[in-house]
Amino acid sequence: MRSSQRLSVAIACSGTEWPHDWPARDDPYVGRVVRLDPPFRVPEGTDAVVLCCDDPVDALAGLSAADVPVIVISPRRDTGTIVEVFRGGAGYLVEGDYCTCMLSSAVVGAGVGHTYLSPAACAALREGALRGPAGGQVTERLRAPLSPRERQIMDLLSTGLGAQEIGLRLRLSEKTVRNNLSNIYAKLDARGRTDAVLRWLGAAPALRT
């Protein structure tokens, strides 16, 4: 996010109507909104795209060349869809499971590299892991090496919060949170944030072949 300017956001709707009167004219974070129709052409200078669609995997493929952070809004809440979207680097808000304040937070977060999941999206990943052959045992074994503090950090990281926000919640310095995250990634054998969250929520082990 540019520190001196409000964000430029593109709203792309595929097979559905935009459900909100958002953003408000006096929104402190969003200064410009462009509505896109298929085929989506993201204008230069766009900071984030909000993609509202019924089939997010196919719709997201059309935006892959834009190299702009994306937040998906969809009624789909199955584990496979959410994992595929999240692995692609997009945030995911399940329709009816968020408020406009959460949407604003997701857009602002996307501008600085944070990837948000709404509570129902997190729950879908956890439920998918529990339905796997080993139930929650695989996930719990994966989490076992983490300390109570590291578990707190992963709970917050999985909702899309960054190191600074996690530090404020837990009354830790940002540097301390980042040091903890480095240790967590090593313990989870994760390549980075997205991989760590997928493992923490039980999605990565469940999907391995």
Side-chain angles (χ1 to χ4, degrees), residues 70-73 76-79 81-95 97-99 102-103 105-107 109-110 114-126 154-161 193-203:
V70 178
I71 300 97
V72 168
I73 297 175
R76 295 280 297 272
R77 57 177 67 205
D78 59 284
T79 300
T81 296
I82 294 170
V83 168
E84 191 162 351
V85 169
F86 190 61
R87 276 183 170 163
Y92 201 107
L93 305 179
V94 175
E95 189 59 68
D97 185 49
Y98 65 93
C99 61
M102 186 183 293
L103 178 54
S105 295
V107 168
H114 299 171
T115 308
Y116 277 71
L117 293 171
S118 73
C122 288
L125 297 184
R126 290 191 180 100
M154 280 307 303
D155 275 333
L156 295 172
L157 189 77
S158 67
T159 66
L161 296 182
R193 176 195 178 97
T194 298
D195 195 26
V197 171
L198 288 170
R199 291 168 185 269
W200 174 255
L201 295 176

Side-chain angles (χ1 to χ4, degrees), residues 46-77:
T46 299
D47 295 297
V49 175
V50 177
L51 176 61
C52 189
C53 56
D54 293 326
D55 191 348
V57 174
D58 285 348
L60 192 59
L63 289 170
S64 60
D67 196 27
V68 176
V70 178
I71 300 97
V72 168
I73 297 175
S74 175
R76 295 280 297 272
R77 57 177 67 205

Side-chain angles (χ1 to χ4, degrees), residues 46 57 59 68 77 100 131 135 146 154 160 167 174 182 194 204 207 209:
T46 299
V57 174
V68 176
R77 57 177 67 205
T100 53
R131 290 195 299 268
L146 272 61
M154 280 307 303
E174 183 176 352
S182 294
T194 298
L207 295 178
T209 55

Side-chain angles (χ1 to χ4, degrees), residues 7 22 66 69-70 104 107 118 122 147 152 166 172 174 177 180 186 204:
L7 294 169
W22 179 93
V70 178
S104 293
V107 168
S118 73
C122 288
S147 69
Q152 285 181 311
I166 292 172
L172 300 171
E174 183 176 352
V177 174
N180 274 275

Side-chain angles (χ1 to χ4, degrees), residues 1 16 22 34 37 48 106:
M1 179 177 176
T16 186
W22 179 93
V34 177
D37 295 315

